[in-house]
Amino acid sequence: GGIITQTPKFLIGQEGQKLTLKCQQNFNHDTMYWYRQDSGKGLRLIYYSITENDLQKGDLSEGYDASREKKSSFSLTVTSAQKNEMAVFLCASSMEGRDTEVFFGKGTRLTVV
Amino acid sequence: QQQVRQSPQSLTVWEGETAILNCSYEDSTFDYFPWYWQFPRESPALLIAIRPVSNKKEDGRFTIFFNKREKKLSLHITDSQPGDSATYFCAASAGGGYKVVFGSGTRLLVSP
């Protein structure tokens, strides 16, 4: 089995601040994802990457940047944190190919004051 | 615009009853529909999945019914147990693509 490690677990930022969330996986999966989970709004795809140095925008990419410098790691940057923003950011990964299971990390909980 | 819609937003059933969770989608190119469940303070995990070549997929007490013409599917949980209490997400992806889209979830509570 493998594991997806997200750091930090909790992140408190200030309005306008640039914040970076990190994710590492040891599944040796090709594809990695960043989802945002707000209460009552399900999981919204921010960015995904099908291989090292690849980036694909999801439905919620505005206001975020991502970086996939290694196969095992995928980072997400909130370019300018919005006041009173609260959400959980979930990193995930899956094997190459169709219909494969997506595995999730435990999340980074962001609070902007 | 939400590509995958779920209803109801929350559902309470008694232990032993059948819970029915609904899902609909817009994009006719979607051809893989996994359901994930998420327990409090946990991450989502795959529960069961279906491809439109069949209209039913069963795994123990969990069954997906799929209606391609109406672009609807439902998850039936028979003999519901308190341990089934979780949020259930319907998801979809298309053509071997990597983009997996999730619905907003149904929060299920099974009362003993």
Side-chain angles (χ1 to χ4, degrees), chain A residues 31 33 35 37 39-43 45 48 50 57-59 90 94-107, chain B residues 2-3 9 31-32 36 38 41-46 51 87 89 93-105 107:
Chain A
T31 306
Y33 312 79
Y35 288 92
Q37 184 169 27
S39 178
K41 290 189 178 178
L43 304 171
L45 183 62
Y48 66 104
I50 63 174
K57 290 184 178 181
D59 298 323
L90 290 169
S94 65
M95 281 175 54
E96 182 181 2
R98 60 184 304 162
D99 306 351
T100 62
E101 181 175 354
V102 177
F103 294 86
F104 287 87
K106 293 202 175 292
Chain B
Q2 205 163 7
Q3 298 181 58
Q9 192 171 0
D31 62 359
Y32 178 63
Y36 285 75
Q38 183 178 29
R41 294 173 297 283
E42 296 289 327
S43 299
L46 181 66
R51 297 196 66 214
T87 299
F89 292 102
S93 64
Y98 302 90
K99 183 178 176 181
V100 182
V101 180
F102 286 78
S104 57
R107 185 175 297 179

Side-chain angles (χ1 to χ4, degrees), chain B residues 63-74:
Chain B
T63 302
I64 300 174
F65 293 93
F66 185 80
N67 185 325
K68 187 174 182 178
R69 184 178 60 83
E70 295 188 10
K71 297 182 186 174
K72 291 181 178 178
L73 55 161
S74 59

Side-chain angles (χ1 to χ4, degrees), chain A:
Chain A
I3 191 167
I4 296 175
T5 303
Q6 292 188 236
T7 54
K9 289 184 181 177
F10 299 94
L11 182 57
I12 299 175
Q14 296 195 328
E15 185 181 11
Q17 195 176 1
K18 188 175 184 179
L19 304 165
T20 298
L21 291 67
K22 294 188 181 295
C23 176
Q24 296 263 357
Q25 53 97 359
N26 64 0
F27 285 101
N28 199 33
H29 285 166
D30 292 291
T31 306
M32 296 187 74
Y33 312 79
W34 277 105
Y35 288 92
R36 174 178 166 136
Q37 184 169 27
D38 294 89
S39 178
K41 290 189 178 178
L43 304 171
R44 291 184 287 175
L45 183 62
I46 306 172
Y47 269 98
Y48 66 104
S49 167
I50 63 174
T51 189
E52 187 177 322
N53 293 319
D54 174 75
L55 287 176
Q56 308 281 343
K57 290 184 178 181
D59 298 323
L60 199 68
S61 61
E62 189 170 335
Y64 301 94
D65 287 327
S67 174
R68 182 94 182 271
E69 293 169 352
K70 293 191 303 183
K71 184 176 181 178
S72 62
S73 66
F74 194 28
S75 62
L76 180 73
T77 299
V78 179
T79 56
S80 179
Q82 301 299 304
K83 190 172 174 61
N84 298 321
E85 182 174 8
M86 259 178 52
V88 175
F89 291 84
L90 290 169
C91 177
S93 70
S94 65
M95 281 175 54
E96 182 181 2
R98 60 184 304 162
D99 306 351
T100 62
E101 181 175 354
V102 177
F103 294 86
F104 287 87
K106 293 202 175 292
T108 292
R109 186 175 296 273
L110 170 67
T111 302
V112 181
V113 297

Side-chain angles (χ1 to χ4, degrees), chain B residues 11-92:
Chain B
L11 175 65
T12 299
V13 299
W14 294 107
E15 183 175 356
E17 290 186 331
T18 296
I20 300 175
L21 290 65
N22 300 303
C23 179
S24 64
Y25 62 97
E26 299 289 329
D27 190 339
S28 56
T29 65
F30 285 149
D31 62 359
Y32 178 63
F33 299 89
W35 285 81
Y36 285 75
W37 55 354
Q38 183 178 29
F39 297 96
R41 294 173 297 283
E42 296 289 327
S43 299
L46 181 66
L47 172 62
I48 186 173
I50 192 169
R51 297 196 66 214
V53 291
S54 57
N55 55 18
K56 181 180 176 182
K57 176 75 177 289
E58 199 168 347
D59 184 355
R61 296 184 294 107
F62 300 89
T63 302
I64 300 174
F65 293 93
F66 185 80
N67 185 325
K68 187 174 182 178
R69 184 178 60 83
E70 295 188 10
K71 297 182 186 174
K72 291 181 178 178
L73 55 161
S74 59
L75 176 68
H76 291 224
I77 307 172
T78 57
D79 188 25
S80 296
Q81 302 296 310
D84 297 333
S85 297
T87 299
Y88 291 76
F89 292 102
C90 175

